[in-house]
Every structure is written in C-alpha cells, then in structure tokens.
Amino acid sequence: MQKTLVLLKPDALQRGLVGEIISRLEGKGLKIVALKMLHMDEELAKRHYQIHKDKSFFQDLVKHITSAPIIAAIFEGENAVDVVRRTMGETDPALALPGTIRGDLALDIGRNLIHGSDSEQTAEEEIDIFFSEEEIFHYSREIERWITES
Ligand code: DAT
Ligand code: MG
C-alpha cells in the first residue's frame, strides 16, 4: 500500500489547525502509520527542500519551517500520494479550490499549512529523512473493507 509524507507546518500548529487537517486526511480513509512532533533545524529544512535551493523563496521557506514545531506524519492508502496532494489543494492558497485544505484554510503561499510528497519516489525519500523503521507502524483496521473494495 502506498505511503506519503505529510508535514503540518508551523502555521498549522500556531493557528490550532492540526486536528482539522489530520481529520480531513483521516476522514478520507487514509491510515496514519507514523506521527510525531519535532522542531526542524536548518540542516533538516535545507535537506528536505533541497530541490528549491536556487529559488528566490528558499530562505523564507527554510526560515518559516524552522520557526516553530511541526507535525510529521505518514499516511497510507490506495494512491495516498495523489490523494493527499489533491486534498491539500494547489500550492498557492489563492488558487486552491474550496473544499481543499489550502483552499479553505489558507491565504498566502508562504503560509500554506501543509506539505505532502509529490511522487511515490519523493515520498520514499522524504519518509527516510523523517522516520526510522521503528517509528512506522504496521497494523490493520477492521474498517478497511468499508473503505477499500479489494
Ligand atoms: P508544494 O508545497 O505544493 O509541494 P512546492 O514544492 O512547489 O509546493 O514548494 C514548496 C513550498 O515552497 C510551498 O509549499 C510554499 C513555498 N513556495 C513555493 N512557491 C513559492 C513562491 N512562488 N513564493 C513563495 N513561496 C513559495
Ligand atoms: Mg513540493
């Protein structure tokens, strides 16, 4: 089953939106298989966002993500990577559709609340950065057959 990394950025915690955001992903049927709170340091932030290192917003991005604690989680489910991305909405909350997390709860691209891996390959790499094997849980849910047919 596919796994994806989700980060609830400092703005999500500061605004008291952790429960709401996790609830939306849980409600969709995705299973939480890892969850923790941490304060990212500059080294981790730069590693996580290395693909953006030459972008004009890189410094601001690193500054924001390291400014206060975050929640890191792994969600598992059928097509989890794409499902999370679509549930998050467009990167720029001004363009994100109503009904999405960013569309409903955010205004500014630099305060868009949530990170989700953008491909299966990226998800594997990002999960490795944030979680050790022991922190990832393997369990079944009785309700699964009511969420996924096969
Ligand atoms: P996403 O988080 O939707 O995967 P991304 O990987 O392109 O988006 O960018 C990572 C983060 O960087 C994004 O969540 C917010 C910030 N960002 C992206 N584009 C930006 C821009 N044009 N101005 C300011 N911040 C930006
Ligand atoms: Mg991205």
Side-chain angles (χ1 to χ4, degrees):
M1 198 57 84
Q2 202 171 71
K3 291 184 178 65
T4 191
L5 180 83
V6 167
L7 302 179
L8 305 189
K9 298 181 186 178
D11 40 327
L13 279 76
Q14 296 295 319
R15 292 180 55 201
L17 292 172
V18 170
E20 158 106 35
I21 295 170
I22 290 179
S23 182
R24 286 179 180 223
L25 297 170
E26 255 191 319
K28 183 78 181 151
L30 296 167
K31 180 164 80 172
I32 299 171
V33 295
L35 185 75
K36 66 180 173 188
M37 186 165 173
L38 69 149
H39 195 138
M40 283 173 75
D41 62 18
E42 201 175 315
E43 189 188 339
L44 180 60
K46 286 184 168 164
R47 191 170 163 210
H48 174 67
Y49 280 127
Q50 61 186 330
I51 194 165
H52 298 303
K53 67 179 184 341
D54 297 324
K55 308 261 175 66
S56 59
F57 55 82
F58 183 67
Q59 289 303 333
D60 288 341
L61 185 57
V62 170
K63 192 172 163 199
H64 174 54
I65 203 89
T66 58
S67 65
I70 65 154
I71 301 287
I74 303 173
F75 281 87
E76 186 182 273
E78 226 173 85
N79 300 312
V81 170
D82 286 345
V83 166
V84 167
R85 293 287 297 184
R86 279 201 295 275
T87 308
M88 283 162 47
E90 293 282 321
T91 303
D92 184 351
L95 304 175
L97 292 174
T100 65
I101 291 164
R102 287 164 167 171
D104 288 347
L105 303 171
L107 267 180
D108 188 303
I109 196 165
R111 299 287 183 270
N112 64 6
L113 298 170
I114 180 169
H115 167 85
S117 308
D118 62 10
S119 72
E120 205 169 357
Q121 172 69 29
T122 313
E124 282 175 20
E125 291 165 11
E126 292 181 345
I127 285 169
D128 273 355
I129 294 182
F130 282 88
F131 289 96
S132 65
E133 270 304 315
E134 306 79 64
E135 291 175 314
I136 304 172
F137 290 79
H138 304 271
Y139 66 102
S140 58
R141 301 185 299 184
E142 285 295 325
I143 201 174
E144 213 64 64
R145 69 193 176 98
W146 301 108
I147 297 171
T148 327
E149 189 170 13
S150 53

